């Protein structure tokens, strides 16, 4: 598998509890390289753009409020098969169903406050990376 990039967010429940380093340690231990990273406080409009695919879902308001209520850390991760690899390290959306050792099993508080986001396909990864990073901010 060729080198691939994925987009990651360490959500407000991670920054609030000072777990940025602990989550990054799991990311790096999984063989993913953090090739871009910054802390941002999203506006509600930015969160609504980011999660636009979920606009019709009942949790959209709660999700976008939560994502814009406090700082997050946005990242680009690089590695072999990075998109699937990161989804494996993240664990299931609902932490109750996440496999032991995954980020969500270890750190997530609930289905909503589930610690991390990771892109689900190459097309979404490209769009999500471009929302937050200029090309020269990504250093592989
Ligand atoms: P993400 O897109 O954040 O990486 P995911 O792909 O595992 O997570 P999605 O189905 O895309 O899950 O949902 C996006 C996010 O919306 C979830 O990570 C979670 O924070 C929130 N969410 C999903 N389902 C619910 C729900 N039933 N109640 C509250 N929040 C939810
Ligand atoms: Mg998703």
């Amino acid at each position: 598998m060729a080198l691939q990039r994925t987009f990651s967010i360490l959500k407000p429940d991670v920054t609030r509890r000072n777990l940025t380093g602990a989550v990054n340690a799991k990311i790096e231990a999984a063989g993913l390289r953090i090739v871009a990273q910054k802390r941002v406080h999203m506006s509600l409009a930015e969160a609504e753009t980011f999660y636009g695919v979920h606009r019709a879902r009942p949790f959209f308001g709660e999700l976008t409020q939560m994502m814009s209520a406090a700082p997050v850390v946005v990242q680009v991760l690089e590695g072999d098969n990075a998109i699937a690899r990161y989804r494996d390290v993240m664990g299931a959306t609902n932490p109750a169903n996440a496999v032991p050792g995954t980020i969500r099993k270890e750190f997530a508080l609930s289905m909503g406050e589930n610690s991390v986001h990771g892109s689900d396909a190459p097309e979404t990864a490209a769009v999500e990376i471009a929302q937050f990073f200029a090309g020269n901010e990504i250093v592989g």
Side-chain angles (χ1 to χ4, degrees), residues 93-121:
T93 308
N94 182 347
N97 301 329
V99 169
T102 60
I103 293 168
R104 283 169 168 166
K105 186 63 172 190
E106 201 152 314
F107 301 118
L109 300 175
S110 66
M111 183 93 163
E113 292 195 298
N114 61 359
S115 300
V116 281
H117 161 83
S119 307
D120 55 17

Side-chain angles (χ1 to χ4, degrees), residues 51 53-54 87 90 93 104 117-120 128:
Y51 277 119
V53 292
H54 295 309
R87 303 254 338 159
M90 288 163 56
T93 308
R104 283 169 168 166
H117 161 83
S119 307
D120 55 17
E128 291 171 2

Side-chain angles (χ1 to χ4, degrees), residues 2-139:
L3 211 57
Q4 196 178 50
R5 286 178 176 174
T6 191
F7 180 72
S8 162
I9 303 179
L10 312 191
K11 295 185 177 183
D13 70 276
V14 169
T15 59
R16 189 175 71 233
R17 293 178 292 157
N18 233 10
L19 292 171
T20 298
V23 174
N24 278 349
K26 282 205 171 282
I27 288 170
E28 293 186 331
L32 293 162
R33 190 172 291 277
I34 302 166
V35 295
Q37 173 171 261
K38 61 187 172 190
R39 183 172 165 109
V40 300
H41 191 150
M42 273 192 238
S43 66
L44 180 61
E46 285 173 314
E48 287 174 346
T49 297
F50 183 75
Y51 277 119
V53 292
H54 295 309
R55 198 169 284 278
R57 308 279 283 276
F59 56 82
F60 182 71
E62 175 192 332
L63 174 62
T64 53
Q65 288 286 342
M66 181 269 288
M67 291 298 288
S68 59
V72 300
V73 175
V74 293
Q75 304 174 316
V76 180
L77 308 181
E78 185 177 85
D80 284 335
N81 207 13
I83 293 171
R85 185 184 289 232
Y86 189 40
R87 303 254 338 159
D88 282 349
V89 181
M90 288 163 56
T93 308
N94 182 347
N97 301 329
V99 169
T102 60
I103 293 168
R104 283 169 168 166
K105 186 63 172 190
E106 201 152 314
F107 301 118
L109 300 175
S110 66
M111 183 93 163
E113 292 195 298
N114 61 359
S115 300
V116 281
H117 161 83
S119 307
D120 55 17
E123 300 72 31
T124 48
V127 170
E128 291 171 2
I129 289 169
Q131 185 179 340
F132 291 96
F133 290 103
N136 65 2
E137 293 179 301
I138 306 167
V139 183

